[in-house]
Amino acid sequence: RDPFPNNVIPASRISPIGKKILDLYPAPNGNFGNLQNNFLAAGNSGRYMYNQPMGRWDHNFGQNDRFYSLVTFQHGWEYRNNNGFNPPAQRGNIKSERTDQNYIADWTHVFSPTTVLDVRGSFSRFTSYFPDGIDSWPFTYDQLGIKNMPIPPTVTRKTAPVVRLDLYPDIIGTSYSWNTDNHWDFAPSMTKTRGKQTWHFGFEAARVGRGAGGPGLATGRLDFNSRYW
């Protein structure tokens, strides 16, 4: 076939949707000796913030009863931009969050110098939310010129699909993952001393619940590569 004049594809032969997709990739800002890995994102350092307040209360109800309660709470967020691009092309766990909370109560009762009862109950919950490129979500598929993109009911937004270009970083984050773990625990025990022997017995009951979810790539993914099928 005849080559294009000056080895340049005429503008009339370029898909307007493809042109808008390519415009999302930043221009090279360095000469590293090849056509790939020639973009260096400046100031793309991770940003982390976590706060962890804790509180404990101890009280003696007379000589034979002691009680304490403990509350811990941790909440924070992270910023990880996987490709270093600006919205709407960025991907990664942007503004991800983790929350951990624990509540413990313990009562100790002395029946006699040889017999001690301890009852402990606790509840803990850990929740994480990891959105992929959340700042890209307002970028809708019609802004690329795509019409009538089918969107499943797992999401209500019309974010443009993920674009996967062979040998280059993926662009446009569209999804998220969420999970919560709950743990209830009840553990009474008795300690009894008889002569040279010490007996310790009791039981522990625990209930664990886990929930997880995510829409997957509900708004689709466009793949462009050099393979044929």
Side-chain angles (χ1 to χ4, degrees), residues 7-228:
N7 203 29
V8 176
I9 301 175
S12 60
R13 302 287 295 273
I14 297 177
S15 163
I17 297 176
K19 177 65 166 56
K20 289 181 179 180
I21 290 175
L22 290 177
D23 287 344
L24 295 176
Y25 287 87
N29 60 5
N31 184 9
F32 303 105
N34 54 45
L35 297 178
Q36 300 165 327
N37 301 321
N38 55 7
F39 173 78
L40 180 64
N44 185 30
S45 57
R47 296 192 290 270
Y48 296 80
M49 172 66 73
Y50 277 94
N51 296 302
Q52 186 172 337
M54 303 174 63
R56 173 168 173 150
W57 180 61
D58 290 83
H59 188 76
N60 292 329
F61 296 93
Q63 294 182 345
N64 296 331
D65 293 279
R66 184 180 65 185
F67 177 84
Y68 88 84
S69 60
L70 175 67
V71 176
T72 69
F73 184 84
Q74 183 189 66
H75 176 75
W77 55 90
E78 303 172 4
Y79 180 99
R80 290 195 291 265
N81 189 336
N82 289 352
N83 59 19
F85 301 163
N86 293 323
Q90 69 176 192
R91 290 288 309 275
N93 299 136
I94 310 297
K95 300 178 182 177
S96 59
E97 297 184 36
R98 289 188 178 97
T99 302
D100 180 59
Q101 46 190 316
N102 300 275
Y103 307 91
I104 303 172
D106 186 274
W107 170 56
T108 302
H109 177 72
V110 178
F111 286 101
S112 68
T114 61
T115 306
V116 178
L117 171 69
D118 183 79
V119 179
R120 185 183 74 250
S122 65
F123 170 74
S124 63
R125 170 177 289 174
F126 177 79
T127 301
S128 65
Y129 174 65
F130 280 69
D132 178 19
I134 189 171
D135 292 334
S136 302
W137 291 1
F139 186 70
T140 55
Y141 59 80
D142 59 296
Q143 293 176 265
L144 289 176
I146 300 175
K147 305 298 182 182
N148 302 320
M149 184 82 170
I151 303 296
T154 51
V155 295
T156 57
R157 50 189 168 78
K158 298 180 179 180
T159 303
V162 175
V163 176
R164 175 165 292 179
L165 181 60
D166 202 15
L167 303 178
Y168 287 86
D170 293 356
I171 61 172
I172 309 177
T174 66
S175 191
Y176 67 85
S177 63
W178 162 87
N179 70 77
T180 294
D181 293 277
N182 295 325
H183 190 129
W184 294 264
D185 192 274
F186 179 66
S189 65
M190 180 81 75
T191 301
K192 191 172 184 63
T193 302
R194 286 187 176 182
K196 296 182 179 180
Q197 294 182 334
T198 299
W199 297 62
H200 184 82
F201 50 90
F203 72 91
E204 182 175 10
R207 181 183 179 186
V208 179
R210 175 176 173 82
L217 297 179
T219 60
R221 190 182 78 192
L222 301 179
D223 284 34
F224 302 92
N225 55 60
S226 58
R227 297 181 294 276
Y228 66 92

